[in-house]
Amino acid sequence: MTTPLYGQMMDVPLTVSSLLAHASRHFGTTEIVSKRIEGDVHRYTYRDCEKRAKQLAQALIALGVEMGDRIGTLAWNGYRHLETYFGTTGFGAVCHTINPRLFPDQVAWIINHADDRYVLFDITFAPLVDVLAPQCPNVLCWIAMTDEAHMPRMSTAASSYEALLAQHDGDFDWPLIDERCASNLCYTSGTTGNPKGALYSHRSSVLHAFGASLPDAMGLSARDSVLPVVPMFHVNAWGIPHAAPLTGAKLVFPGKDLDGKSLYELMEAERVTYSAGVPTVWLGLLNHVREAGVRFSSLERTVIGGSACPPAMIRMFQDTYGVEVIHAWGMTEMSPLGTLSKLTWEQTQRSPDEQRKLREKQGHAMYGVDMRIVGDDGRELPWDGVAFGDLHVRGPWVIDRYFRSDASPLVDGWFPTGDVATIDKDSFLNITDRSKDVIKSGGEWISSIDVENIAIAHPAVAEAACIACAHPKWTERPLLVVVKRPDADVTRDELLAFYKGKIAKWWIPDDVVFVDELPHTATGKLQKLKLRERFRDHVLPSALATENCPLDDEAHAKSDPS
Ligand code: ADP
């Protein structure tokens, strides 16, 4: 056996605190601007932020919090939440961000499962805390993220965050922590079952922040003014609270006002160049700019993900407003970033139409994430843009196992994402469905996302969901459930005719039903399970007379639907 020759570079652990320490020292005067729950706008710098994060660390240590203890948060995007990101992890505690939009029983379940010692909350959530407190006996104290003057009236005994910080001076050195120690805990929103905890490490968080910042990933820079609309309670706002201090980008936090008008005004006031959020939020923003007849004077790029970004939205941002859309895919179990739709030099030489088609996909894997698609037999499928398969990923910021669960979710060392996808010869990923939502017509998969994207491109359609409906001949056929725009009208037949020539004939839904609204999860994703239950007994016209079924065997032949 030969003795390995080790490198002789400093063995400095990758800690989350080092991100803020870097920003404080090298971008000390760069601003963090927050719309506060109290109603005003708060501004300070990375240097101020680090000092207060250290005061928080001192306060929590004085309260007896130890390394590994979980500290919960129920909070909007704001400077105090950012301080919590670092004031907990900085001394080895775990920052557990909780989604307050979940049902209270589910929030209580999560707090108890995580065994949170303390929970910090924005005053908006005081009524929620009053419901939670009796169900969460192990929480030692609930801390309201405000000063004494704004303490809410509550039945629960709560402390003031500002009063706690005021007892400490911030004279504190971040300890060196083993980079494999836990830093952050996020629960999946339970779209597909009970919430499950993803416990990130310092190392995975820092590597993810590095990867996210790269120009062909999110591409953050010290020249950016970044407004994360994606909540800090949902997968760490896609890592922006870590990537912004790493790059020295200015941060702008919207607080609780996420309507189009409030976001637009904040973007303009703070010269925001970069933003990130789920499609639903951008729908509100685009509606506002269209109705108000205004334009973005500083916004250059936005990351859209969390669910499929409709091509019509990408076009609207890019063609009408000159804002680049980066379509991203990821999940809680991946910290969350996996792929982004940035083009290579060679791809930018192709026709505008080809480039547009690529940008509509979820993009290429970033360094640190490897992916594959496999068929029912577990064998890897070709990257030809046609073969659909279960998407598997692996990498240093991909989950190995869920918090407090012994069973490994991995298959041959890969994490099965629960998504179904194609990968094309450009290595671009295209998510076609959640595996639980796929529609299998005559044994062949139909991409509900593609079907929905076409419906949404119709001017009279506000939102659409495509679900499987039972069919005597094909087992399942697609049913389109549509919410119309308030000021527009369209009939079933007009909508079905709209599909002609845009999609393979056998992918066209067999029926359309109109509803007032679609069910969503706490993170804004369509709840197709609920829809399938609601329309379980829906009888498709094609099922009544299969002999007259518009779909013949020939039309249903395997073909490339694109
Ligand atoms: P959950 O909702 O399951 O708790 P996440 O919020 O982490 O978990 O969501 C992850 C899922 O969201 C992915 O597995 C995928 O189904 C969906 N998703 C995320 N981004 C995209 C995208 N750009 N296009 C399509 N689906 C997406």
Side-chain angles (χ1 to χ4, degrees):
M1 278 268 284
T2 50
T3 322
L5 178 63
Y6 289 105
Q8 294 178 329
M9 309 309 281
M10 293 185 192
D11 194 7
V12 180
L14 302 175
T15 57
V16 167
S17 62
S18 69
L19 300 168
L20 185 59
H22 171 74
S24 165
R25 194 165 161 80
H26 302 284
F27 301 100
T29 56
T30 296
E31 273 189 317
I32 299 167
V33 181
S34 309
K35 243 182 138 175
R36 295 208 302 177
I37 315 302
E38 290 90 336
D40 54 352
V41 173
H42 173 273
R43 340 176 65 90
Y44 72 170
T45 64
Y46 274 119
R47 193 167 296 141
D48 302 326
C49 178
E50 190 189 30
K51 177 158 185 284
R52 283 173 47 93
K54 287 183 168 181
Q55 286 172 264
L56 175 61
Q58 289 173 311
L60 291 174
I61 291 168
L63 286 170
V65 177
E66 295 181 355
M67 282 190 74
D69 283 349
R70 273 77 66 198
I71 306 296
T73 67
L74 285 164
W76 301 106
N77 293 6
Y79 69 105
R80 292 187 183 115
H81 205 175
L82 187 70
E83 291 160 6
T84 309
Y85 265 55
F86 295 97
T88 50
T89 56
F91 70 95
V94 176
C95 181
H96 171 208
T97 48
I98 309 163
N99 187 341
R101 293 193 182 126
L102 296 170
F103 289 118
D105 281 356
Q106 221 171 7
V107 176
W109 185 92
I110 289 173
I111 290 173
N112 291 330
H113 187 266
D115 200 13
D116 290 331
R117 301 276 91 180
Y118 291 84
V119 176
L120 291 83
F121 63 96
D122 268 334
I123 50 178
T124 342
F125 302 118
L128 174 63
V129 168
D130 278 340
V131 175
L132 297 173
Q135 299 180 59
C136 303
N138 292 341
V139 174
L140 296 174
C141 182
W142 301 80
I143 300 170
M145 297 168 95
T146 189
D147 53 25
E148 303 249 39
H150 292 90
M151 283 297 282
R153 266 176 212 270
M154 308 174 61
S155 54
T156 312
S159 305
S160 152
Y161 179 89
E162 292 298 337
L164 274 180
L165 260 62
Q167 295 168 23
H168 300 276
D169 58 8
D171 184 10
F172 179 79
D173 290 329
W174 299 121
L176 281 184
I177 294 166
D178 180 342
E179 64 182 26
R180 286 180 175 75
C181 284
S183 63
N184 300 72
L185 177 62
C186 294
Y187 280 71
T188 64
S189 49
T191 313
T192 53
N194 254 340
K196 295 194 278 282
L199 186 63
Y200 312 123
S201 65
H202 284 263
R203 175 185 151 83
S204 73
S205 302
V206 173
L207 288 176
H208 178 266
F210 259 116
S213 305
L214 287 171
D216 288 327
M218 287 215 277
L220 284 186
S221 146
R223 287 179 299 284
D224 280 316
S225 167
V226 184
L227 189 157
V229 186
V230 52
M232 289 166 77
F233 57 72
H234 190 218
V235 218
N236 295 331
W238 299 348
I240 292 174
H242 294 149
L246 181 147
T247 53
K250 170 181 169 180
L251 271 169
V252 182
F253 289 125
K256 64 177 176 31
D257 300 326
L258 304 179
D259 60 286
K261 184 169 185 286
S262 306
L263 287 176
Y264 175 78
E265 286 171 358
L266 188 61
M267 283 178 169
E268 289 298 301
E270 297 304 326
R271 309 291 304 149
V272 167
T273 57
Y274 196 101
S275 195
V278 297
T280 334
V281 161
W282 299 132
L283 209 61
L285 182 69
L286 286 174
N287 279 344
H288 170 74
V289 289
R290 196 176 46 206
E291 279 159 22
V294 290
R295 297 189 69 81
F296 300 103
S297 66
S298 56
L299 187 66
E300 295 167 5
R301 290 134 39 237
T302 180
V303 181
I304 305 185
S307 50
C309 180
M313 182 175 281
I314 301 181
R315 275 201 299 278
M316 173 81 85
F317 262 119
Q318 295 195 163
D319 302 347
T320 312
Y321 296 105
V323 176
E324 181 191 356
V325 170
I326 303 158
H327 190 192
W329 167 84
M331 59 198 312
T332 306
E333 289 88 337
M334 299 174 67
S335 310
L337 288 178
T339 66
L340 300 107
S341 66
K342 288 272 187 88
L343 306 192
T344 63
W345 175 83
E346 186 276 320
Q347 287 159 351
T348 61
Q349 308 305 300
R350 300 188 196 168
S351 73
D353 201 42
E354 280 177 86
Q355 291 186 44
R356 184 179 55 75
K357 282 211 171 111
L358 278 175
R359 286 182 207 279
E360 287 170 4
K361 299 188 175 187
Q362 282 78 2
H364 62 80
M366 56 204 286
Y367 167 78
V369 174
D370 192 9
M371 60 184 182
R372 68 172 187 180
I373 42 172
V374 299
D376 289 343
D377 58 2
R379 286 217 217 143
E380 185 162 2
L381 294 169
W383 292 15
D384 57 10
V386 179
F388 292 71
D390 290 321
L391 177 62
H392 292 181
V393 291
R394 63 181 178 193
W397 57 78
V398 176
I399 197 165
D400 183 49
R401 64 189 56 208
Y402 290 100
F403 185 50
R404 296 191 141 171
S405 158
D406 290 334
S408 168
L410 306 190
V411 177
D412 303 333
W414 293 79
F415 175 72
T417 62
D419 285 332
V420 175
T422 63
I423 304 176
D424 65 19
K425 57 182 179 355
D426 283 303
S427 311
F428 264 50
L429 178 75
N430 191 24
I431 302 286
T432 54
D433 260 306
R434 291 290 288 179
S435 58
K436 299 219 164 38
D437 294 334
V438 291
I439 304 167
K440 268 197 163 174
S441 173
E444 295 296 325
W445 278 340
I446 292 176
S447 163
S448 67
I449 293 179
D450 283 7
V451 176
E452 287 156 9
N453 281 342
I454 292 174
I456 295 164
H458 191 286
V461 173
E463 211 181 355
C466 182
I467 56 166
C469 200
H471 191 281
K473 178 166 182 184
W474 304 106
T475 317
E476 287 177 358
R477 288 291 301 152
L479 169 69
L480 190 68
V481 189
V482 169
V483 180
K484 286 188 227 175
R485 283 187 186 279
D487 50 349
D489 205 11
V490 63
T491 65
R492 167 192 184 276
D493 292 343
E494 283 163 358
L495 206 48
L496 292 179
F498 187 66
Y499 277 92
K500 294 226 169 80
K502 297 190 175 77
I503 205 170
K505 200 172 157 197
W506 63 278
W507 279 33
I508 298 177
D510 280 19
D511 202 6
V512 181
V513 287
F514 295 98
V515 294
D516 291 337
E517 60 178 346
L518 293 172
H520 291 99
T521 65
T523 51
K525 293 179 215 296
L526 282 172
Q527 271 184 318
K528 293 199 179 170
L529 188 65
K530 278 211 171 145
L531 276 181
R532 280 197 299 272
E533 277 164 12
R534 178 168 165 195
F535 292 102
R536 194 177 31 216
D537 298 327
H538 183 84
V539 180
L540 294 168
S542 58
L544 279 176
T546 44
E547 63 275 16
N548 298 325
C549 177
L551 188 80
D552 53 34
D553 298 75
E554 201 188 337
H556 200 287
K558 281 189 197 182
S559 58
D560 175 5
S562 63

mmCIF file of all heavy atoms in Angstrom, residues 372-381 390 392 411-412:
data_model
loop_
_atom_site.group_PDB
_atom_site.id
_atom_site.type_symbol
_atom_site.label_atom_id
_atom_site.label_comp_id
_atom_site.label_asym_id
_atom_site.label_seq_id
_atom_site.Cartn_x
_atom_site.Cartn_y
_atom_site.Cartn_z
ATOM 1 N N ARG A 372 -30.120 11.051 -13.718
ATOM 2 C CA ARG A 372 -30.381 10.012 -14.714
ATOM 3 C C ARG A 372 -31.879 9.751 -14.736
ATOM 4 O O ARG A 372 -32.589 10.067 -13.775
ATOM 5 C CB ARG A 372 -29.618 8.723 -14.362
ATOM 6 C CG ARG A 372 -30.129 8.037 -13.113
ATOM 7 C CD ARG A 372 -29.494 6.671 -12.890
ATOM 8 N NE ARG A 372 -30.130 5.977 -11.791
ATOM 9 C CZ ARG A 372 -29.799 4.763 -11.367
ATOM 10 N NH1 ARG A 372 -28.803 4.094 -11.928
ATOM 11 N NH2 ARG A 372 -30.437 4.188 -10.362
ATOM 12 N N ILE A 373 -32.345 9.207 -15.864
ATOM 13 C CA ILE A 373 -33.743 8.771 -15.905
ATOM 14 C C ILE A 373 -33.744 7.263 -16.108
ATOM 15 O O ILE A 373 -32.928 6.725 -16.867
ATOM 16 C CB ILE A 373 -34.566 9.469 -17.016
ATOM 17 C CG1 ILE A 373 -33.791 9.582 -18.339
ATOM 18 C CG2 ILE A 373 -35.043 10.821 -16.566
ATOM 19 C CD1 ILE A 373 -34.626 10.097 -19.502
ATOM 20 N N VAL A 374 -34.639 6.581 -15.381
ATOM 21 C CA VAL A 374 -34.693 5.120 -15.491
ATOM 22 C C VAL A 374 -36.110 4.664 -15.816
ATOM 23 O O VAL A 374 -37.093 5.329 -15.467
ATOM 24 C CB VAL A 374 -34.215 4.425 -14.183
ATOM 25 C CG1 VAL A 374 -32.785 4.773 -13.865
ATOM 26 C CG2 VAL A 374 -35.118 4.766 -13.012
ATOM 27 N N GLY A 375 -36.192 3.541 -16.490
ATOM 28 C CA GLY A 375 -37.492 2.958 -16.838
ATOM 29 C C GLY A 375 -38.012 2.083 -15.710
ATOM 30 O O GLY A 375 -37.383 1.968 -14.650
ATOM 31 N N ASP A 376 -39.165 1.450 -15.947
ATOM 32 C CA ASP A 376 -39.795 0.606 -14.926
ATOM 33 C C ASP A 376 -38.870 -0.526 -14.468
ATOM 34 O O ASP A 376 -38.948 -0.992 -13.338
ATOM 35 C CB ASP A 376 -41.098 -0.002 -15.467
ATOM 36 C CG ASP A 376 -42.182 1.062 -15.597
ATOM 37 O OD1 ASP A 376 -42.019 2.134 -14.981
ATOM 38 O OD2 ASP A 376 -43.170 0.818 -16.330
ATOM 39 N N ASP A 377 -37.988 -0.968 -15.369
ATOM 40 C CA ASP A 377 -37.083 -2.063 -15.018
ATOM 41 C C ASP A 377 -35.818 -1.558 -14.311
ATOM 42 O O ASP A 377 -34.907 -2.338 -14.033
ATOM 43 C CB ASP A 377 -36.688 -2.844 -16.287
ATOM 44 C CG ASP A 377 -36.034 -1.942 -17.335
ATOM 45 O OD1 ASP A 377 -35.860 -0.725 -17.049
ATOM 46 O OD2 ASP A 377 -35.695 -2.443 -18.425
ATOM 47 N N GLY A 378 -35.759 -0.272 -14.013
ATOM 48 C CA GLY A 378 -34.611 0.275 -13.289
ATOM 49 C C GLY A 378 -33.419 0.580 -14.172
ATOM 50 O O GLY A 378 -32.387 1.055 -13.691
ATOM 51 N N ARG A 379 -33.552 0.326 -15.474
ATOM 52 C CA ARG A 379 -32.412 0.586 -16.369
ATOM 53 C C ARG A 379 -32.411 2.030 -16.850
ATOM 54 O O ARG A 379 -33.467 2.616 -17.082
ATOM 55 C CB ARG A 379 -32.498 -0.335 -17.585
ATOM 56 C CG ARG A 379 -32.113 -1.722 -17.191
ATOM 57 C CD ARG A 379 -31.342 -2.416 -18.276
ATOM 58 N NE ARG A 379 -31.773 -3.796 -18.250
ATOM 59 C CZ ARG A 379 -31.927 -4.542 -19.294
ATOM 60 N NH1 ARG A 379 -31.686 -4.068 -20.482
ATOM 61 N NH2 ARG A 379 -32.316 -5.788 -19.177
ATOM 62 N N GLU A 380 -31.196 2.557 -17.019
ATOM 63 C CA GLU A 380 -31.096 3.950 -17.450
ATOM 64 C C GLU A 380 -31.642 4.107 -18.872
ATOM 65 O O GLU A 380 -31.419 3.259 -19.745
ATOM 66 C CB GLU A 380 -29.644 4.428 -17.391
ATOM 67 C CG GLU A 380 -29.554 5.897 -17.707
ATOM 68 C CD GLU A 380 -28.275 6.580 -17.265
ATOM 69 O OE1 GLU A 380 -27.389 5.905 -16.714
ATOM 70 O OE2 GLU A 380 -28.174 7.804 -17.490
ATOM 71 N N LEU A 381 -32.379 5.204 -19.102
ATOM 72 C CA LEU A 381 -32.974 5.463 -20.416
ATOM 73 C C LEU A 381 -32.098 6.435 -21.202
ATOM 74 O O LEU A 381 -31.335 7.217 -20.617
ATOM 75 C CB LEU A 381 -34.375 6.056 -20.234
ATOM 76 C CG LEU A 381 -35.407 5.113 -19.611
ATOM 77 C CD1 LEU A 381 -36.669 5.870 -19.218
ATOM 78 C CD2 LEU A 381 -35.741 3.979 -20.572
ATOM 79 N N ASP A 390 -38.289 7.747 -14.558
ATOM 80 C CA ASP A 390 -38.192 8.283 -13.195
ATOM 81 C C ASP A 390 -36.853 8.979 -13.051
ATOM 82 O O ASP A 390 -35.807 8.418 -13.391
ATOM 83 C CB ASP A 390 -38.294 7.143 -12.184
ATOM 84 C CG ASP A 390 -39.692 6.560 -12.147
ATOM 85 O OD1 ASP A 390 -40.657 7.351 -12.246
ATOM 86 O OD2 ASP A 390 -39.824 5.327 -12.057
ATOM 87 N N HIS A 392 -33.716 10.370 -11.189
ATOM 88 C CA HIS A 392 -32.877 10.131 -10.014
ATOM 89 C C HIS A 392 -31.749 11.173 -9.979
ATOM 90 O O HIS A 392 -31.261 11.568 -11.033
ATOM 91 C CB HIS A 392 -32.218 8.746 -10.094
ATOM 92 C CG HIS A 392 -33.178 7.616 -9.962
ATOM 93 N ND1 HIS A 392 -32.778 6.292 -9.997
ATOM 94 C CD2 HIS A 392 -34.525 7.591 -9.766
ATOM 95 C CE1 HIS A 392 -33.833 5.508 -9.845
ATOM 96 N NE2 HIS A 392 -34.890 6.268 -9.707
ATOM 97 N N VAL A 411 -31.873 4.546 -4.116
ATOM 98 C CA VAL A 411 -31.891 3.372 -4.989
ATOM 99 C C VAL A 411 -30.519 3.316 -5.661
ATOM 100 O O VAL A 411 -30.176 4.219 -6.422
ATOM 101 C CB VAL A 411 -32.994 3.521 -6.074
ATOM 102 C CG1 VAL A 411 -32.961 2.339 -7.032
ATOM 103 C CG2 VAL A 411 -34.364 3.703 -5.454
ATOM 104 N N ASP A 412 -29.739 2.308 -5.338
ATOM 105 C CA ASP A 412 -28.369 2.179 -5.886
ATOM 106 C C ASP A 412 -27.561 3.471 -5.713
ATOM 107 O O ASP A 412 -26.848 3.897 -6.633
ATOM 108 C CB ASP A 412 -28.405 1.879 -7.398
ATOM 109 C CG ASP A 412 -29.199 0.630 -7.697
ATOM 110 O OD1 ASP A 412 -29.271 -0.239 -6.818
ATOM 111 O OD2 ASP A 412 -29.765 0.555 -8.813
#
